[in-house]
Amino acid sequence: MLSRVDQVLQQPFFGRRLRALRVAQGLSQVQLAGAELSPAYLSRLESGARPPTERVVAHLCRKLQVPPSAFHVTEGSPLVRALADVITVGESPAMIAVLKQALLQEQDADPVLRWQAQWVLARCYQQQGKADEELALLQEMTELANRTGLPELRARSRVRLARRLRASGELIPARRYTEEVLDIAEEHDLSHRDFVEALLTLISIDAENGQLVRARANAEQLVDTLLDQLPLSLRVEALWTTASVCARQGDHEAAVKVMDRALHALPSNEDPVLWMRLRLAAASIHLRAHSRDTRTARTLLDEAATVAGIVGMLAHQNELLLLRSQLAFYEGRFAEARELCDRLDEHPDGISMRDQLRLEVLRNQVAIIEGDHTAAVADLERIAKDAQLSANAELSAEVWRALAEALRLAETVRGGSAAPPPGGAG
């Protein structure tokens, strides 16, 4: 048993701490081992099967860019135990509650340890759709990372914070934080992963701001020059981001082609959550295409649903429900579209500002079909004009198209004939 904080942790606590630090920095065992250690030896260290030596600890501190104190925490620390349990047992609500309590108890714990615990907790908030809690925690993490002085933590905190702000529609501070990350990455020669995550975030912000030409140029340059150097999950994210920008430009043929590359690159057992999210994103692209492919969208949503019921959090469930609502509308099943819309709250947890807007558009489309013509038309006109004033021409065009489709379908329904799907393959 250890009793002093200036002693190195014994196994298995050293291994748990080592794995937590490695995962936080997005490193594989091969990358962390480098030329000095074998991946097999590092694996035994993490499992607790081998004790660390002073030389090994010094090497790990250099590679992880952490001070030796990162491994100098007593095994009796509630925060160490809680973090180890979450990482090794899983992010269950009970484990997360224990982690939150441990963070409150150990306000003066090692900053790197607190940062890692906050990183895990922020990810849980994201999955649960708790946007306000996630934002507050990411702001705290960013300040904590500044106090550590470690460029990797400073960069990764800012990327996560910028992504949260972008999803909430706060594009100006999101861009500022992202540009800070690019400066940090260049100054400290951070990994390709840190640079690419920041660049992908900047591309998404440009796309949201209507800077689609610049966003696509940067996305395609990234895919052409760096894609093969990236880990699989980041490679898939780069393709996904590029496909999304193409779709916003109206180039749905290119969007589908690039998204298909992402879909085929990732096996379902590699990262089930990312595998599911890719299918949700691909279904959305097919539903927004000029010639909607509802058949392919339906297949993708059915595939996503098989995983969402197992690993999907509330945010994923809400996104799936929204897309199923849109699919029902586009296939002419208007009563089902209404029923699915009604199952979503006014502001569903976890979905982006853009998807919340799409939900509002869909509700107005259904209202027009149901005969609530005047108010719904006025609301859709307002949304389209607001998007145009925000320099978001592609979103404005999407809303005007939705209005025209709803009016055409309403006329067909009133005429007593069966309503055909609003375009696309069914």
Side-chain angles (χ1 to χ4, degrees), residues 279 283 293-305 327:
R279 276 148 182 78
D293 186 353
T294 55
R295 182 181 294 112
T296 301
R298 192 185 317 120
T299 299
L300 289 164
L301 293 179
D302 287 344
E303 290 175 351
L327 177 64

Side-chain angles (χ1 to χ4, degrees), residues 81-369:
R81 291 201 306 271
L83 185 56
D85 285 342
V86 168
I87 292 173
T88 57
V89 177
E91 298 172 359
S92 68
M95 290 292 99
I96 295 305
V98 172
L99 182 61
K100 289 171 64 176
Q101 184 61 33
L103 277 167
L104 291 174
Q105 289 177 343
E106 294 198 58
Q107 299 283 343
D108 58 348
D110 178 81
V112 176
L113 177 64
R114 282 188 61 82
W115 186 91
Q116 166 62 9
Q118 290 175 335
W119 177 274
V120 172
L121 188 56
R123 183 175 63 221
C124 293
Y125 284 152
Q126 179 191 34
Q127 293 172 345
Q128 294 167 1
K130 297 181 177 179
D132 292 341
E133 291 90 337
E134 182 193 2
L135 176 59
L137 187 58
L138 289 172
Q139 290 170 332
E140 184 179 342
M141 280 176 59
T142 301
E143 291 300 319
L144 183 60
N146 290 342
R147 293 202 296 273
T148 70
L150 297 174
E152 290 82 2
L153 303 194
R154 292 170 57 214
R156 288 161 197 164
S157 300
R158 282 166 168 76
V159 166
R160 287 280 293 272
L161 178 55
R163 291 186 174 194
R164 176 66 265 160
L165 290 167
R166 176 187 59 78
S168 301
E170 299 182 54
L171 301 182
I172 294 176
R175 186 179 186 89
R176 183 178 71 248
Y177 281 117
T178 306
E179 289 173 343
E180 288 178 7
V181 175
L182 292 172
D183 289 341
I184 294 170
E186 182 177 359
E187 179 183 355
H188 297 278
D189 194 24
L190 298 187
S191 67
H192 275 318
R193 185 186 189 100
D194 291 306
F195 172 77
V196 169
E197 286 187 344
L199 185 56
L200 288 173
T201 305
L202 189 62
I203 290 168
S204 297
I205 292 169
D206 281 343
E208 287 288 345
N209 264 325
Q211 303 294 325
L212 293 172
V213 174
R214 181 169 62 190
R216 182 164 179 176
N218 286 334
E220 290 181 340
Q221 182 180 10
L222 187 157
V223 168
D224 291 341
T225 59
L226 292 176
L227 194 67
D228 293 339
Q229 304 174 42
L230 303 177
L232 178 57
S233 61
L234 200 55
R235 192 156 69 241
V236 166
E237 185 181 347
L239 291 169
W240 176 1
T241 300
T242 304
S244 297
V245 173
C246 291
R248 290 187 181 183
Q249 273 196 314
D251 190 352
H252 289 94
E253 182 178 352
V256 168
K257 184 177 179 180
V258 176
M259 184 57 90
D260 280 346
R261 288 178 63 187
L263 290 168
H264 289 104
L266 186 72
S268 60
N269 60 354
E270 178 73 23
D271 186 336
V273 173
L274 181 57
W275 187 89
M276 170 194 63
R277 294 180 63 214
L278 277 177
R279 276 148 182 78
L280 295 175
S284 180
I285 287 175
H286 282 289
L287 289 176
R288 300 201 317 273
H290 297 306
S291 179
R292 290 194 176 91
D293 186 353
T294 55
R295 182 181 294 112
T296 301
R298 192 185 317 120
T299 299
L300 289 164
L301 293 179
D302 287 344
E303 290 175 351
T306 62
V307 177
I310 301 171
V311 300
M313 303 298 288
L314 179 60
H316 306 134
Q317 300 285 356
N318 284 340
E319 185 178 0
L320 176 61
L321 192 55
L322 170 59
L323 288 167
R324 284 202 182 282
S325 305
Q326 292 175 321
L327 177 64
F329 181 85
Y330 296 140
E331 291 184 330
R333 295 178 281 115
F334 305 124
E336 183 179 344
R338 164 62 68 190
E339 187 271 329
L340 292 171
C341 280
D342 289 345
R343 287 167 56 185
L344 288 162
D345 294 334
E346 191 66 27
H347 300 288
D349 289 335
I351 70 172
S352 67
M353 290 290 291
R354 181 171 287 255
D355 278 344
Q356 288 190 29
L357 192 62
R358 288 188 175 126
L359 176 58
E360 187 178 355
V361 167
L362 180 59
R363 284 177 167 146
N364 279 297
Q365 286 181 296
V366 174
I368 290 173
I369 299 297

